[in-house]
Amino acid sequence: MAAPLEVALALIAVGVMYSLLLWVRRMHADHSRRRVAEARVRLEPLAHALLDGEPAGTTARRDEQALTQILAELAPALTGESRDAIADHFETSGAVTRVSRRLADPRAHRRAEHAALLGDMCSSLAEVPLLQALNDRDPDVRLAAARSLGRLRPRTAAGPLLFALVQGLVPRAVAANALLSIGAAALPGIRNLLDDDQPAARANAVELLGRLGNPRDSQSLRDRLGDDAPLVRRRACEALARLGADDAGDALEELLADDVTDVRISAAAAIGAVGDDRSAPTLLRLVHHDVVEVSEVAARALSAVAPALVKELGGDPEAHPQLRHAASLLEAGVG
């Protein structure tokens, strides 16, 4: 009889200890939230002084995180002078150095937190620690480092970010956004990736080139229309449309006969953006004979390159439904 009683008492003790632990953690979280809220109220004037590019005195170490959070929320208002003042504030206080050292914390969530903080400090001193964090063993740390590098926009980060993108070390959207923030400094590396052995690398390079490139990149993108990988062909269509490559109409029209549905859709959409009425017969054929997804996009493209033809054909009650719909949009001034 003693054994069951001892087991019951042990279970009760474990339950009490677990409840106590939860209570302590909840109290600690509530205390932390109150402390941050109080700090935010206290630091608002300091944050706005920094945004105005004015010296703002010193900040207690316990308030550094709250200040960087406020500045991150106000990031759209940051100008060159504001960024310089913020960087000077955190460098002078030693915060950049302290937070950089904490990237060696054994706890991954703390490393990720510190990597995110560094991006809001606007300091070039954070570039090297963040580039090192881009190789961290934890994916959340790498993600935070990539985002922070995008906020800091150092030219030296272009190559490592491209490597992280190609190797899948960080999510594609995060790496791409960081590279877009860095801008033209990333273009040489992006152009080199166009001939990479990996289709995913070529596809990423084509997409980025469409966003960052210039008209002289049009030929390189047209070359990718013949890529073996459907994803690369599709991205090349989208990139040419984004660059406004109006000399790519013939090359894009060839892809309207591609074996892959998504490629035909992208080609038709691109022709709608940069093509002309010479593609109208082929687009009309797709409207009538291709799958509904392609037919719909082809009708929209036809409205863009040959609106008079769409109005004429779509006005017939017996016309294809996509043509009638496109014609009605044009008549309504929507197409």
Side-chain angles (χ1 to χ4, degrees), residues 206 218-241 248-272 274 279 282-283 285-286 290-291 294-295 297-298 301:
V206 165
S218 176
Q219 181 58 54
S220 298
L221 290 172
R222 284 203 301 274
D223 292 343
R224 289 299 106 200
L225 292 175
D227 198 281
D228 293 337
L231 178 61
V232 178
R233 298 198 298 275
R234 181 164 63 84
R235 294 264 179 89
C237 293
E238 296 165 356
L240 286 165
D250 292 342
L252 288 167
E253 186 174 350
E254 291 181 13
L255 286 188
L256 294 178
D258 197 277
D259 293 336
V260 180
T261 299
D262 285 346
V263 176
R264 297 198 301 278
I265 289 174
S266 294
I271 288 173
V274 300
S279 300
T282 308
L283 289 170
R285 177 177 57 78
L286 293 183
D290 213 318
V291 296
V294 178
S295 176
V297 178

Side-chain angles (χ1 to χ4, degrees), residues 289-315:
H289 301 296
D290 213 318
V291 296
V292 64
E293 294 85 358
V294 178
S295 176
E296 180 181 357
V297 178
R300 288 202 301 267
L302 195 59
S303 295
V305 301
L309 178 63
V310 171
K311 288 182 180 180
E312 178 185 349
L313 297 177

Side-chain angles (χ1 to χ4, degrees), residues 26-47:
R26 188 178 300 112
M27 291 296 292
H28 177 72
D30 291 342
H31 176 71
S32 297
R33 282 194 290 269
R34 285 197 301 272
R35 188 178 69 245
V36 170
E38 292 169 358
R40 289 176 65 90
V41 173
R42 186 171 61 254
L43 294 170
E44 285 280 357
L46 174 61

Side-chain angles (χ1 to χ4, degrees), residues 80-129:
E81 291 184 357
S82 298
R83 294 179 67 87
D84 291 342
I86 292 169
D88 182 67
H89 174 81
F90 285 117
E91 289 170 4
T92 302
S93 68
V96 177
T97 302
R98 284 194 298 274
V99 175
S100 296
R101 285 200 298 263
R102 291 171 188 160
L103 290 176
D105 193 296
R107 296 163 294 181
H109 74 280
R110 296 292 289 170
R111 297 198 303 277
E113 179 182 309
H114 300 321
L117 285 175
L118 285 173
D120 296 323
M121 291 183 174
C122 301
S123 171
S124 60
L125 298 180
E127 294 173 11
V128 172

